[in-house]
Amino acid sequence: MQESLIIPENHPRAESLRVRERLVECLRKGIVVEQGLIAHGRGEAFDYLLGERTTVYAREAIRASVAIMLLAEHPVVSVNGNVACLCAGDVVRLASLLNARIEVNLFYRSYEREKAIEMLLKEHGAHTVYGVGDRASMSIPELMSERRRVDRDGIYSADVVLVPLEDGDRTEALVRMGKKVIAVDLNPLSRTARSATITIVDNITRAMPLMVETARELKNAARDRLNGIVKSFSNARNLEGSLAMIRSGVADRGRGGDDITLDSRGKQVVGVMDDDG
Ligand code: ATP
Ligand code: MG
């Protein structure tokens, strides 16, 4: 049995290290697969470049995502191993606020892992969990192997699907099926980020609690107001904004800048801006 790492509070990467520990623990419990750890590493690299904070662009994308889900007829939140491990409680809270169904959807499918994730979600208060075992009897067209299996009453018939940490192929296939797809992906250059209807470029560990908070705020908003939020959102523009943040952040830190602060267009500003943008 491997020992857990003791992480000093003042370590500059403390939160990032805690998340790693949690993923390793989930690997031992059969919720996360090895490939999930590697995928997380790619995410961490982009998070580092973003300064490990939620940008104004991510906040804007979160607002549009919650609005589009509140307007949906049949919204579904798709859950894989990493998502279950990192934010099972927030998934359940968000789905409940948005009247969305929760579906387990794994890239590397096994019945044991589906059941483990279902159990974890139920421990956090989920009632029905879709996509487990024989429930996932429908196929996403044009996708090969086990990755294509979805639940008839879940993703298959959904009009809006939230896919935190999805693969590009599946995102594209879901969009081709006519669904509105919301991705959470720290890499603004990935195929997932580029093909989703709305991409939240943020760490799911920060984005999901913010989505819950935003859902509470907008839950009773008029449809006109929600429509307005969705209409004024452009994914291409939003992704450009996130990329600009990365570019100028890297340039500034490369010049030896410390604790840089960027304005909403990714330009450095003097003085401290609070984290709420
Ligand atoms: P794509 O298939 O979309 O072209 P990819 O093949 O580069 O992307 P995948 O391995 O399919 O990437 O999926 C991992 C993605 O998930 C990466 O883009 C990574 O940035 C993102 N990711 C990993 N962990 C997190 C996290 N905690 N929060 C947000 N995004 C994350
Ligand atoms: Mg991929």
Side-chain angles (χ1 to χ4, degrees), residues 39-40 42-43 46 86 165-168 184-187 190-192 202-204:
H40 182 78
R42 175 137 55 205
F46 282 97
L86 296 179
L165 319 189
E166 185 54 281
D167 170 61
V184 182
D185 192 333
L186 277 159
N187 176 4
S190 75
R191 277 178 312 142
T192 300
D202 197 11
N203 200 317
I204 45 160

Side-chain angles (χ1 to χ4, degrees), residues 223-243:
R223 289 184 78 83
D224 275 359
R225 181 170 168 220
L226 298 175
N227 267 315
I229 293 172
V230 175
K231 283 218 177 78
S232 65
F233 181 84
S234 153
N235 207 42
R237 210 174 52 214
N238 193 273
L239 286 171
E240 270 315 304
S242 298
L243 265 179

